[in-house]
Amino acid sequence: LPPRTAAAADAPVFQAQCASCHPRARTLARRLEGESADARSAALVKFLEKHHSGDAQTRAAIAEYLVGLSLQ
């Protein structure tokens, strides 16, 4: 999926898993570190393994959503 489509498709996962503590997804997206979208996604997935998100699919969806926002 193109970044905007992926971001829109994964928004509900972010809302369900993250938004109660992190209401501003764009603020998080702007703070992602990494020189490429792949690097940002990999770093975020690794961070989420230790943070409050559940399974690998959920972590990937959150990463896709935030990285997609960072590209807009």
Side-chain angles (χ1 to χ4, degrees), residues 5-68:
T5 305
D10 294 322
V13 177
F14 179 86
Q15 291 300 317
Q17 298 291 319
C18 310
S20 64
C21 294
H22 306 286
R24 294 191 173 114
R26 288 192 188 279
T27 300
L28 290 177
R30 284 192 297 265
R31 294 179 180 169
L32 295 177
E33 296 182 7
E35 294 189 24
S36 68
D38 288 339
R40 287 189 291 262
S41 182
L44 183 54
V45 166
K46 186 173 182 175
F47 169 77
L48 290 173
E49 288 174 356
K50 298 175 185 169
H51 200 56
H52 298 289
S53 58
D55 60 36
Q57 186 175 6
T58 298
R59 291 190 297 271
I62 293 167
E64 286 293 322
Y65 175 61
L66 292 175
V67 171

